[in-house]
Amino acid sequence: MNTFGQIFRVTTFGESHGEAIGGVVDGMPAGITIDTDFIQQELNRRRPGQSSITTSRKEPDQVELLSGVFEGKSTGCPIGFIVRNTNQHSADYSNIKDLFRPSHADFTYYYKYGTRDYRGGGRSSARITISRCVAGALAKMALGQMGISVKAYTSQIGPIALENDYRAYDLSLAESNIVRCPDPQKAEEMIRLVETVKAEGDTIGGIVTGVITGCPPGLGEPEFGKLHATLGAAMLSINAAKGFDYGAGFNGVCMRGSEQNDVFRNSNGRVTTRTNRSGGIQGGISNGQDIYFRVAFKPVATLLREQETVDTSGQETTFKAQGRHDPCVLPRAVPVVESMAACVVLDAILLNKTTKI
């Protein structure tokens, strides 16, 4: 399963220390203006080495579009692309060649396939999310012509969390700091925490909040293709993602129905709701309100300190990771969350068009 989507489909390929990461986007609507600078900007938001609290691996992550674009517009044909790897330090992983790193995919890949690429995690590396960001940038360009916006931001790192929901913040401020948090004061606290954790050779997790505005009602399927289920599947497919909720989510379990329900009203001839605890989705279908959701990310599994483990023969041993690693995945996960959300929404819009006469 290296392909995501039904009509707007992205197929990815590549490994962390291979020649390149790449993919093919099929189903891109024809006639969409393709801004290559915007695609590169999205990759720059995800790339390593962008701040003191991300991995120091230096990669330009320069995208090369190979097909599907002519005279600056999409043709409707598959868009192939690659991003070449240029700064691999494969020797950094020689000490784990025959070891199973705790909480990594080493053990599970080995027992599924009988082999694994241990260099940087191979196919299980977060570097594979490059392809998602390219596809997401293409989807964002199409959605932008429909008045739909997809934004995400860091809302929590460790115990430091924003106290209000997305409506209380200027989300454009998220790009003004290295943790991508729209609250400058909380951002400084988060940065200090990550720096402390990094100095200890440890890692820490948190939460990314996503917001989709301008989404029309009627997206999603009534049974197994529910919009929130597709969003959840997309988010939980991201490396290190451990949880997903939308709207009031898990917080809603403490409410009564009289507190949870979103009451309908007529607003200048348009049906809206007075509140939006449903997160813009009811019965698995969008209702025209903002769609908002949260994705929980675990602490990065690679620690720069000694850990116990076993080798491929089952012998107990210890090891200490080498190389360049993120102490916190959150800052670089933000553009990936946006990308997957954009892919889901565009796919749902295109799917709707096939079911209407």
Side-chain angles (χ1 to χ4, degrees):
M1 292 298 293
N2 297 296
T3 299
F4 181 83
Q6 298 184 68
I7 296 180
F8 182 83
R9 295 162 60 88
V10 55
T11 299
T12 73
F13 66 82
E15 294 83 32
S16 177
H17 286 225
E19 289 298 318
I21 305 298
V24 176
V25 171
D26 200 3
M28 179 72 176
I32 302 296
T33 298
I34 303 300
D35 184 346
T36 54
D37 289 339
F38 175 72
I39 298 174
Q40 190 59 53
Q41 174 187 313
E42 293 296 275
L43 285 177
N44 291 345
R45 295 173 67 212
R46 193 225 68 93
R47 70 175 174 83
Q50 60 184 273
S51 78
S52 61
I53 60 170
T54 63
T55 171
S56 59
R57 179 172 176 169
K58 298 293 184 182
E59 292 278 5
D61 284 356
Q62 190 70 42
V63 65
E64 301 174 43
L65 300 183
L66 306 177
S67 62
V69 179
F70 180 66
E71 295 182 339
K73 292 186 181 294
S74 58
T75 64
C77 297
I79 299 177
F81 61 89
I82 60 170
V83 173
R84 300 183 187 276
N85 295 323
T86 63
N87 191 229
Q88 310 97 309
H89 288 182
S90 298
D92 288 344
Y93 297 89
S94 59
N95 69 320
I96 62 142
K97 179 177 181 294
D98 298 313
L99 301 179
F100 297 133
R101 294 170 295 172
S103 291
H104 282 77
D106 299 345
F107 176 83
T108 50
Y109 267 56
Y110 184 79
Y111 274 87
K112 180 176 178 65
Y113 299 107
T115 184
R116 82 176 203 271
D117 183 347
Y118 61 86
R119 304 166 302 165
R123 184 68 176 157
S124 67
S125 169
R127 186 155 178 75
I128 307 305
T129 58
I130 283 174
S131 299
R132 299 168 183 239
C133 286
V134 175
L138 293 169
K140 281 184 176 182
M141 284 186 273
L143 293 175
Q145 295 192 16
M146 306 174 198
I148 300 171
S149 172
V150 182
K151 297 289 185 184
Y153 61 92
T154 298
S155 54
Q156 182 170 343
I157 291 181
I160 302 172
L162 298 187
E163 298 167 356
N164 302 301
D165 69 23
Y166 70 96
R167 293 169 297 181
Y169 304 100
D170 177 356
L171 300 190
S172 67
L173 293 178
E175 292 299 313
S176 68
N177 57 75
I178 59 178
V179 286
R180 295 198 162 91
C181 173
D183 183 321
Q185 182 176 341
K186 289 288 187 180
E188 287 300 319
E189 294 178 27
M190 291 176 180
I191 292 169
R192 288 195 295 270
L193 175 59
V194 175
E195 289 174 338
T196 298
V197 168
K198 179 182 178 181
E200 296 172 351
D202 214 336
T203 62
I204 196 164
I207 294 174
V208 170
T209 295
V211 183
I212 305 167
T213 58
C215 190
L219 301 184
E221 302 304 310
E223 184 60 11
F224 297 113
K226 290 180 169 64
L227 186 58
H228 61 266
T230 309
L231 272 174
M235 298 307 148
L236 292 173
S237 73
I238 300 172
N239 305 60
K242 300 297 284 186
F244 169 84
D245 74 356
Y246 71 101
F250 286 106
N251 295 332
V253 302
C254 298
M255 298 179 182
R256 297 189 179 189
S258 56
E259 299 171 306
Q260 173 85 359
N261 283 356
D262 295 317
V263 176
F264 288 106
R265 66 176 179 176
N266 186 315
S267 179
N268 298 319
R270 176 172 171 263
V271 175
T272 63
T273 56
R274 292 180 181 172
T275 55
N276 187 21
R277 299 185 186 94
S278 299
I281 303 172
Q282 294 171 327
I285 300 173
S286 63
N287 66 3
Q289 304 303 304
D290 292 349
I291 296 172
Y292 62 99
F293 57 90
R294 302 186 303 168
V295 188
F297 288 89
K298 70 173 184 176
V300 177
T302 300
L303 310 183
L304 297 181
R305 55 167 66 178
E306 191 170 88
Q307 296 184 81
E308 297 178 351
T309 190
V310 299
D311 61 24
T312 52
S313 63
Q315 296 297 310
E316 294 184 352
T317 184
T318 61
F319 85 106
K320 182 178 180 180
Q322 304 173 23
R324 305 155 296 177
H325 306 280
D326 288 287
C328 178
V329 75
L330 274 294
R332 297 174 62 210
V334 166
V336 183
V337 167
E338 289 181 3
S339 293
M340 293 307 294
C343 290
V344 167
V345 172
L346 180 57
D347 192 39
I349 288 172
L350 296 175
L351 186 60
N352 247 25
K353 289 184 178 181
T354 70
T355 61
K356 292 182 178 180
I357 299 176

